[in-house]
Amino acid sequence: MNSVCVLIPAYNEAKTVGAVIAEVLSQELRVYVVDDGSLDDTAVVAKNAGAVVIRNPQNMGKGASLREGFRRALSDKCDAVIIMDADGQHEARSIPDFVREMASSGADIVIGNRMSDPGPMPYVRRLTNRFMSWLISRMCGQKISDTQCGYKMIKRRVLEEVKTDSSNFEIESEFVIKASRLGFKITSVPIKAIYGDEKSKINPIIDTLRFIAFMIKMR
């Protein structure tokens, strides 16, 4: 695989995105940051840290940011894209594990698995992730240990064929379900669960209702 890049969607992550970019650049990989209409200096910090910055004119949601990043990565001839969060919950030193797993298994998508050692993951989130992973695995027809993990590696041909329309966090589920229905192979690689004092951007009421509506639509 000749060209692997890292895509980081970010919204108001000026405090952490610079360190994430530095870790990725230490592995000599190109970094794209999609600044999703941040109200802070996320874009400035990301550019100064050495990332290619793509800016949404307003907050459009994670799904929209990923699609914009995918378009740029495909335009720049990337063979595979690794998606990471901007808040420091994903360790860049795990990137070689994704690359090795994709090469050895022939997988089209490799998803990080926090559930083998969830450690500091909040108990409610742990239960929710296990249930959703079980449910979505059944819909996909293949076992995916942590469907809600945003740390993943995706081959170019998957990005070219899978078309999504979710704007928010249900993008994680939509992508793996649609990829599975197209016959793409999905595997997992263990990663460390990292939680600090960051505040989740998921609204427990609005996003739960949105997810229920999404699941009804996908079925």
Side-chain angles (χ1 to χ4, degrees), residues 2-150:
N2 297 322
S3 176
V4 177
C5 67
V6 172
L7 171 60
I8 303 174
Y11 177 63
N12 292 343
E13 300 288 2
K15 292 181 179 179
T16 55
V17 71
V20 175
I21 294 167
E23 287 184 16
V24 175
L25 290 178
S26 70
Q27 302 204 34
E28 301 182 352
L29 293 173
R30 187 186 319 169
V31 184
Y32 297 96
V33 171
V34 181
D35 174 38
D36 192 22
S38 294
L39 303 176
D40 64 5
D41 291 331
T42 294
V44 174
V45 173
K47 183 177 180 180
N48 290 341
V52 176
V53 178
I54 304 160
R55 297 197 69 179
N56 292 338
Q58 59 189 20
N59 184 247
M60 301 171 65
K62 186 175 183 180
S65 295
L66 287 177
R67 282 190 292 275
E68 191 61 36
F70 293 158
R71 280 191 287 269
R72 179 61 182 270
L74 291 173
S75 175
D76 288 350
K77 310 300 182 185
C78 294
D79 294 321
V81 175
I82 296 174
I83 305 169
M84 295 179 66
D85 287 348
D87 59 6
Q89 287 194 8
H90 300 152
E91 293 184 315
R93 63 183 179 182
S94 295
I95 288 175
D97 297 333
F98 283 80
V99 176
R100 282 192 292 268
E101 172 63 22
M102 182 166 280
S104 63
S105 67
D108 300 295
I109 303 172
V110 179
I111 301 177
N113 175 22
R114 301 161 296 176
M115 305 313 293
S116 58
D117 184 18
M121 181 182 293
Y123 184 68
V124 173
R125 181 172 295 185
R126 193 179 308 184
L127 292 178
T128 302
N129 283 358
R130 290 194 188 280
F131 172 73
M132 293 174 67
S133 295
W134 169 82
L135 178 62
I136 293 170
S137 292
R138 291 197 57 169
M139 294 180 69
C140 290
Q142 55 183 318
K143 181 176 174 54
I144 306 170
S145 301
D146 190 359
T147 59
Q148 302 311 296
C149 182

